[in-house]
């Protein structure tokens, strides 16, 4: 099936704005990835179910919880729906969306240079409580703040949701909290989790391979 004209215009605009930054297109989809090793910048030119055009969603996806899907853990929709009316007008709209996406990719890189910066963002932008506690616990543990990390893990472990994913998350927290007393082992296990997630997502192995543990600083 031939690619729709509005999708071709989005791809061309994204390639021009995002490829020079090192971002890559996910297959032939309208998703572009900025691979930062332990996290991904995710740019989605989201289609509509009822009209040709595009929304724009951009965010960071943490890779230290094992999963086979992308998520917007920090960030979300940046632009409302831009409808396709004609090629000339939509080419300009697509370019504007792509340029805004590129600016946000750079902003995310600056915002999250290390795991320690993740906790700072979560503290100021709390969202889903359970996941926020988990991400905060991991980032604090990697930053060497074992006491606060243990407190955040405890919040997740005490949660009573009985869904499959919540049970699995609590089990993961129990395993990680036991490693906090040995920062190097904690960092190594989180890095191993990142590598497992990368494999599930079809990404190449993380060249960095490991986080710098508190004991190494």
């Amino acid at each position: 099936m031939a690619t729709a004209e509005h999708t071709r215009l989005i791809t061309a605009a994204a390639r021009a704005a995002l490829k020079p930054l090192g971002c890559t297109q996910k297959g032939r989809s309208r998703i572009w990835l900025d691979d930062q090793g332990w996290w991904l910048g995710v740019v989605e030119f989201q289609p509509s179910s009822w009209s040709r055009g595009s929304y724009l969603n951009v965010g960071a996806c943490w890779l230290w919880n094992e999963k086979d899907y992308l998520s917007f853990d920090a960030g979300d929709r940046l632009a409302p729906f831009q409808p396709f009316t004609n090629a000339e007008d939509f080419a300009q709209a697509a370019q504007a969306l792509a340029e805004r996406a590129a600016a946000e990719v750079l902003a995310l890189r600056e915002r999250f240079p290390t795991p320690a910066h993740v906790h700072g963002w979560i503290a100021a932008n709390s969202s889903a409580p359970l996941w926020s506690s988990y991400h905060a616990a991991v980032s604090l543990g990697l930053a060497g703040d074992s006491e606060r990390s243990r407190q955040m893990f405890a919040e997740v472990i005490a949660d009573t949701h009985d869904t499959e994913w919540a049970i699995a998350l609590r089990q993961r927290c129990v395993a990680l909290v036991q490693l906090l007393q040995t920062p190097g082992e904690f960092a190594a296990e989180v890095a191993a989790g990142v590598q497992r997630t990368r494999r599930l997502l079809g990404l190449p192995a993380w060249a960095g391979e490991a986080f710098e543990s508190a004991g190494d600083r």
Side-chain angles (χ1 to χ4, degrees):
M1 181 181 296
T3 302
E5 186 173 16
H6 68 292
T7 297
R8 288 198 300 270
L9 292 170
I10 290 169
T11 299
R15 186 178 293 120
L18 298 174
K19 195 171 182 179
L21 301 181
C23 299
T24 58
Q25 186 178 10
K26 187 176 185 292
R28 293 189 174 184
S29 73
R30 288 163 59 163
I31 294 175
W32 287 71
L33 302 177
D34 181 37
D35 193 344
Q36 297 298 308
W38 55 275
W39 65 275
L40 296 174
V42 182
V43 176
E44 179 187 27
F45 297 93
Q46 183 186 359
S48 166
S49 300
W50 62 86
S51 180
R52 292 185 299 170
S54 183
Y55 297 97
L56 174 63
N57 306 320
V58 185
C61 172
W62 317 132
L63 301 181
W64 48 47
N65 57 300
E66 196 168 327
K67 58 188 178 182
D68 60 0
Y69 58 89
L70 298 171
S71 57
F72 291 89
D73 299 315
D76 203 343
R77 181 159 292 166
L78 285 188
F81 187 71
Q82 301 297 308
F84 176 89
T85 53
N86 60 72
E88 182 178 356
D89 289 344
F90 191 72
Q92 295 179 3
Q95 181 181 352
L97 289 177
E99 289 176 351
R100 185 167 184 186
E104 185 63 15
V105 164
L106 294 176
L108 286 173
R109 291 179 185 178
E110 184 175 351
R111 195 174 302 145
F112 302 118
T114 70
H117 290 78
V118 173
H119 173 258
W121 184 90
I122 291 173
N125 301 273
S126 59
S127 53
L130 199 60
W131 283 112
S132 292
S133 295
Y134 173 75
H135 294 315
V138 174
S139 60
L140 285 165
L142 292 173
D145 193 339
S146 297
E147 181 177 352
R148 284 202 295 166
S149 176
R150 190 172 288 105
Q151 292 171 355
M152 301 305 291
F153 276 129
E155 290 186 11
V156 181
I157 294 170
D159 184 81
T160 58
H161 283 81
D162 59 359
T163 56
E164 184 177 349
W165 67 265
I167 293 170
L169 183 62
R170 287 198 296 272
Q171 292 171 342
R172 176 65 171 163
C173 290
V174 169
L176 286 174
V177 77
Q178 293 175 351
L179 298 175
L180 279 173
Q181 59 185 354
T182 310
E185 292 183 9
F186 178 86
E189 175 52 33
V190 174
V194 169
Q195 295 286 30
R196 291 192 293 270
T197 299
R198 292 181 65 86
R199 286 194 293 271
L200 289 171
L201 292 173
L203 299 170
W206 177 24
E209 295 183 355
F211 294 99
E212 179 187 10
S213 72
D216 295 332
R217 289 195 287 271

